[in-house]
Amino acid sequence: VRTNSISGNIVANSSVITITKNSASFVVPGTYSWVCPVGVTTVSAVAIGGGGAGGTNGNRTASGGGGGGLGWKNNISVVAGQTYTVVVGAGGVATAGSGTSNPITSTAGGDSYFINATTVKGGGGGAGVATVQSGISGGAGGTYVGDGGGNGGAGGDCNSNDFIGGGGGAGGYSGA
């Protein structure tokens, strides 16, 4: 969130996030409330989704999770004193299985957004999928909403006894 007149520190989940003049960064996964300071009428926001976790069928075969999307939007109208929602999506999680009869299960990355998912959003990357029989495919890249941005890269598929990397995150922001 970029504003005209904010400075100081925010404490979030026991992590101190430094706010430089004219900006605030929310980097710890969670949901936050941001109160618009007096004198601020517009903000710009960049939202980056969490990457998806990879998956494996426990048979030395694995797929990659998708990368998070990045969305940005400039000149979002805000009202001084009003509270706005900021969501920072977490990366996906893989839960260990016990071999080929019980594959590792994975989750998608979480969406990140400012105000709501239709204002500006970086979508979370999809989970890598692996079943006992086959079906080892990489997670889809996260999407985006806003004035611009990019989708995250898809996680790699696997067709043999290989371990495949995850998709890259999206990049690119233009604005003041």
Side-chain angles (χ1 to χ4, degrees):
V1 177
R2 189 167 180 79
T3 69
N4 295 330
S5 64
I6 190 168
S7 62
N9 291 320
I10 290 178
V11 178
N13 293 350
S14 301
S15 297
V16 175
I17 300 168
T18 301
I19 302 170
T20 59
K21 185 173 176 158
N22 299 328
S23 68
S25 295
F26 298 87
V27 296
V28 176
T31 300
Y32 304 92
S33 294
W34 176 75
V35 179
C36 180
V38 173
V40 176
T41 58
T42 63
V43 297
S44 299
V46 177
I48 304 168
T56 180
N57 68 3
N59 193 23
R60 293 183 35 92
T61 306
S63 61
L70 178 148
W72 59 266
K73 187 169 183 74
N74 291 325
N75 302 314
I76 302 167
S77 294
V78 291
V79 177
Q82 186 168 333
T83 301
Y84 296 92
T85 301
V86 177
V87 173
V88 178
V93 176
T95 303
S98 59
T100 56
S101 63
N102 185 16
I104 288 178
T105 58
S106 348
T107 61
D111 292 344
S112 297
Y113 59 85
F114 178 65
I115 300 178
N116 58 48
T118 60
T119 301
V120 60
K121 175 186 90 170
V129 176
T131 62
V132 174
Q133 298 80 13
S134 61
I136 301 164
S137 58
T143 59
Y144 71 94
V145 172
D147 290 340
N151 294 334
D157 297 337
C158 183
N159 295 321
S160 62
N161 289 338
D162 295 321
F163 291 92
I164 304 300
Y173 168 69
S174 297

